[in-house]
């Protein structure tokens, strides 16, 4: 499925009926051959935007998966880069495949809702992971990010504009989320992955409540929608700088 190197339909079914952690452990060896991996175009656009803002000393890739975002951090951080994920399988692939030039890279297995770090980072990024968190979990997640950032630190992530109501993309995402809700109502353990729960107004309010100042930067590489709004934004959430 997806490509000759990607998972089969049967493998995806087994993964979907597992927990989130176990599902990603199983998917890890073939993850980079699926559409679930963040596209290089998004990674490159975010990297370009962060280079205009940085450089930074140390960076953390939150929910790093197989490490695609670590390559972005390695280009904008001078001292060290860390990838954190709760899937041991994904981290194993990342350790084997991701060795970017630049600062030293370390990999840590941990839950994003309980990060085992002191305030040691100047930049935290995340790519494509927020659908794994229910809306009620976001305040705690944002508080965790704040807890590992130094004063003046930045939490940055791309956010794609939602498809217009009635468009094919709208119905596709609605259908996927509906299937996942039915699956989770009937099967345990749950597999939390919803594409429509991470909405910009709610995200912005949650970040501000956690003490961040929020700036939205259009990523010009992806153009604008017919109404003039950006197709993809970079959310830049900053903590107050030290006085």
């Amino acid at each position: 499925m997806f490509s000759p190197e990607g998972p089969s339909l049967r493998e995806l079914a087994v993964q979907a009926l597992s927990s989130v952690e176990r599902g990603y452990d199983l998917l890890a060896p073939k993850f980079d051959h699926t559409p679930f991996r963040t596209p290089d175009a998004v990674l490159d656009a975010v990297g370009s935007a962060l280079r205009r803002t940085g450089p930074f000393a140390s960076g953390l890739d939150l929910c790093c998966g197989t490490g695609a975002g670590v390559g972005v951090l390695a280009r904008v951080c001078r001292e060290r880069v860390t990838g954190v994920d709760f899937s041991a399988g994904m981290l194993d692939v990342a350790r084997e495949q991701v060795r970017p030039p630049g600062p030293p890279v370390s990999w840590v297995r941990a839950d994003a809702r309980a990060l085992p770090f002191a305030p040691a980072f100047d930049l935290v990024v995340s790519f494509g992971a927020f659908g794994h968190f229910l809306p009620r979990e976001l305040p705690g997640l944002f508080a965790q990010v704040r807890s590992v950032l130094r004063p003046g630190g930045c939490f940055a992530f791309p956010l794609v504009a939602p498809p217009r109501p009635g468009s094919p993309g709208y119905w596709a995402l609605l259908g996927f989320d509906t299937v996942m809700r039915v699956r989770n109502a009937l099967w345990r353990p749950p597999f939390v992955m919803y594409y429509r729960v991470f909405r910009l107004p709610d995200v912005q309010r949650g970040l501000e409540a956690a003490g961040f100042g929020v700036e939205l930067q259009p990523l010009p590489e992806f153009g604008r929608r017919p109404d003039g709004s950006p197709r993809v934004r970079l959310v830049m959430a900053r903590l107050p700088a030290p006085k």
Side-chain angles (χ1 to χ4, degrees), residues 18-26 86-88 109 191:
S18 305
S19 67
V20 178
E21 181 179 352
R22 178 59 176 159
Y24 276 104
D25 285 347
L26 293 170
F86 77 159
S87 166
R109 185 184 180 196
F191 192 103

Side-chain angles (χ1 to χ4, degrees), residues 161-187:
R164 296 186 303 277
S167 67
Y170 173 88
W171 292 115
L173 296 186
L174 178 62
F176 181 90
D177 282 9
T178 300
V179 168
M180 292 303 298
R181 292 186 186 281
V182 171
R183 178 255 187 244
N184 289 335
L186 299 175
W187 193 268

Side-chain angles (χ1 to χ4, degrees), residues 57-123:
S58 59
L60 175 69
D61 185 4
L62 187 72
C63 306
C64 67
T66 54
V70 165
V72 174
L73 288 176
R75 296 194 293 271
V76 300
C77 295
R78 296 172 297 186
E79 295 180 4
R80 64 188 178 98
V81 172
T82 302
V84 62
D85 201 279
F86 77 159
S87 166
M90 298 290 268
L91 290 172
D92 286 343
V93 173
R95 290 188 186 96
E96 180 66 25
Q97 295 187 161
V98 181
R99 296 186 178 91
V105 175
S106 59
W107 306 97
V108 177
R109 185 184 180 196
D111 193 321
R113 291 161 291 200
L115 293 172
F117 306 112
F121 299 99
D122 304 288
L123 174 64

Side-chain angles (χ1 to χ4, degrees), residues 34-66:
T34 74
F36 307 132
R37 182 188 185 274
T38 302
D40 287 339
V42 174
L43 297 169
D44 292 342
V46 171
S48 295
L50 292 175
R51 279 196 295 274
R52 294 191 293 269
T53 304
F56 304 88
S58 59
L60 175 69
D61 185 4
L62 187 72
C63 306
C64 67
T66 54

